[in-house]
Protein backbone atom coordinates (compact mmCIF):
# COMPACT_ATOMS: atom_id res chain seq x y z
CA UNK A 1 0.00 0.00 0.00
CA UNK A 2 1.22 3.47 -0.89
CA UNK A 3 0.25 6.86 0.54
CA UNK A 4 -0.89 9.39 -2.06
CA UNK A 5 -1.35 13.13 -1.65
CA UNK A 6 -4.32 14.47 -3.58
CA UNK A 7 -4.49 18.26 -3.51
CA UNK A 8 -5.52 21.50 -5.17
CA UNK A 9 -4.68 25.18 -4.69
CA UNK A 10 -7.47 27.43 -3.42
CA UNK A 11 -7.41 29.44 -6.64
CA UNK A 12 -8.37 26.35 -8.67
CA UNK A 13 -11.75 26.10 -6.99
CA UNK A 14 -13.77 28.73 -8.84
CA UNK A 15 -17.24 28.01 -7.50
CA UNK A 16 -20.07 30.53 -7.08
CA UNK A 17 -20.76 31.34 -3.43
CA UNK A 18 -24.26 29.90 -3.61
CA UNK A 19 -22.81 26.52 -4.66
CA UNK A 20 -20.10 26.24 -1.97
CA UNK A 21 -22.34 24.33 0.45
CA UNK A 22 -23.13 21.71 -2.23
CA UNK A 23 -19.44 21.39 -3.12
CA UNK A 24 -18.54 20.98 0.56
CA UNK A 25 -21.14 18.26 1.00
CA UNK A 26 -19.98 16.46 -2.16
CA UNK A 27 -16.38 16.55 -0.89
CA UNK A 28 -17.42 15.27 2.55
CA UNK A 29 -19.31 12.43 0.83
CA UNK A 30 -16.11 11.35 -0.94
CA UNK A 31 -14.27 11.48 2.40
CA UNK A 32 -16.98 9.32 3.99
CA UNK A 33 -16.64 6.87 1.07
CA UNK A 34 -12.84 6.76 1.48
CA UNK A 35 -13.21 6.16 5.23
CA UNK A 36 -15.72 3.37 4.62
CA UNK A 37 -13.29 1.80 2.13
CA UNK A 38 -10.51 1.97 4.73
CA UNK A 39 -8.19 4.09 2.53
CA UNK A 40 -8.50 7.49 4.23
CA UNK A 41 -5.42 8.61 6.19
CA UNK A 42 -5.82 12.36 6.70
CA UNK A 43 -7.16 15.44 4.99
CA UNK A 44 -8.10 19.07 5.37
CA UNK A 45 -7.48 22.53 4.12
CA UNK A 46 -4.61 24.91 4.74
CA UNK A 47 -5.71 27.66 7.13
CA UNK A 48 -4.98 30.82 5.16
CA UNK A 49 -5.46 32.92 8.32
CA UNK A 50 -2.48 31.30 10.08
CA UNK A 51 0.80 32.62 8.70
CA UNK A 52 3.48 30.02 7.90
CA UNK A 53 6.54 29.82 10.14
CA UNK A 54 10.10 28.80 9.31
CA UNK A 55 11.43 26.77 12.23
CA UNK A 56 15.20 26.32 12.47
CA UNK A 57 17.04 23.36 13.97
CA UNK A 58 17.64 25.38 17.15
CA UNK A 59 13.88 25.84 17.57
CA UNK A 60 13.81 29.52 16.61
CA UNK A 61 10.86 30.50 14.43
CA UNK A 62 10.18 33.41 12.13
CA UNK A 63 7.12 34.29 10.08
CA UNK A 64 8.32 33.28 6.62
CA UNK A 65 8.11 30.58 3.97
CA UNK A 66 10.24 29.11 1.25
CA UNK A 67 9.74 31.29 -1.85
CA UNK A 68 8.58 28.30 -3.92
CA UNK A 69 5.82 27.49 -1.40
CA UNK A 70 4.54 31.02 -0.75
CA UNK A 71 1.33 30.15 -2.61
CA UNK A 72 0.78 26.80 -0.86
CA UNK A 73 -2.87 26.80 0.11
CA UNK A 74 -6.07 24.94 -0.67
CA UNK A 75 -7.21 21.47 0.27
CA UNK A 76 -5.66 18.03 0.38
CA UNK A 77 -6.09 14.50 1.53
CA UNK A 78 -3.81 11.52 1.98
CA UNK A 79 -5.14 8.14 0.93
CA UNK A 80 -3.41 4.78 1.41
CA UNK A 81 -4.01 2.83 -1.79
CA UNK A 82 -2.76 -0.31 -3.53
CA UNK A 83 -1.79 1.34 -6.84
CA UNK A 84 -1.39 4.53 -8.84
CA UNK A 85 -4.42 3.47 -10.88
CA UNK A 86 -6.53 3.37 -7.70
CA UNK A 87 -5.16 6.78 -6.72
CA UNK A 88 -6.19 8.22 -10.08
CA UNK A 89 -9.74 6.91 -9.57
CA UNK A 90 -9.97 8.53 -6.13
CA UNK A 91 -8.45 11.77 -7.41
CA UNK A 92 -11.13 11.84 -10.12
CA UNK A 93 -13.86 11.43 -7.48
CA UNK A 94 -12.40 14.33 -5.50
CA UNK A 95 -12.03 16.44 -8.66
CA UNK A 96 -15.70 15.87 -9.48
CA UNK A 97 -16.80 16.76 -5.95
CA UNK A 98 -14.60 19.88 -5.70
CA UNK A 99 -15.20 20.88 -9.32
CA UNK A 100 -11.51 21.34 -10.02
CA UNK A 101 -8.56 19.22 -11.12
CA UNK A 102 -6.49 17.54 -8.45
CA UNK A 103 -2.73 17.11 -8.23
CA UNK A 104 -1.64 13.57 -7.40
CA UNK A 105 1.68 12.84 -5.69
CA UNK A 106 3.10 9.64 -4.27
CA UNK A 107 4.88 9.51 -0.93
CA UNK A 108 8.20 7.70 -0.86
CA UNK A 109 8.24 4.37 0.95
CA UNK A 110 9.87 4.53 4.36
CA UNK A 111 9.30 1.48 6.58
CA UNK A 112 9.90 3.63 9.66
CA UNK A 113 7.04 6.03 8.81
Amino acid sequence: MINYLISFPASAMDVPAEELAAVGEAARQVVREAKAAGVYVFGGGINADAAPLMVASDGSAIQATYPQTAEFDGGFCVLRLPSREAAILWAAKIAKACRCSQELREFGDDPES
Side-chain angles (χ1 to χ4, degrees):
M1 297 291 271
I2 303 163
N3 287 330
Y4 290 90
L5 174 67
I6 301 170
S7 64
F8 64 94
S11 62
M13 202 168 138
D14 186 20
V15 177
E18 63 272 10
E19 296 178 26
L20 281 176
V23 169
E25 179 51 33
R28 286 187 290 280
Q29 180 55 41
V30 175
V31 168
R32 288 190 288 271
E33 184 181 347
K35 286 179 178 180
V39 299
Y40 186 82
V41 176
F42 179 77
I46 302 298
N47 183 353
D49 295 331
L53 296 175
M54 291 290 286
V55 181
S57 60
D58 65 2
S60 62
I62 60 169
Q63 188 173 323
T65 184
Y66 286 112
Q68 62 270 38
T69 62
E71 299 299 319
F72 183 71
D73 60 8
F76 68 93
C77 71
V78 176
L79 301 181
R80 188 164 186 78
L81 299 162
S83 68
R84 189 169 188 84
E85 291 76 20
I88 291 169
L89 293 174
W90 280 101
K93 291 180 184 190
I94 295 168
K96 183 176 181 180
C98 293
R99 302 183 192 175
C100 64
S101 295
Q102 302 292 304
E103 182 176 282
L104 178 64
R105 292 185 180 254
E106 184 176 312
F107 283 90
D109 183 35
D110 181 352
E112 298 280 331
S113 294

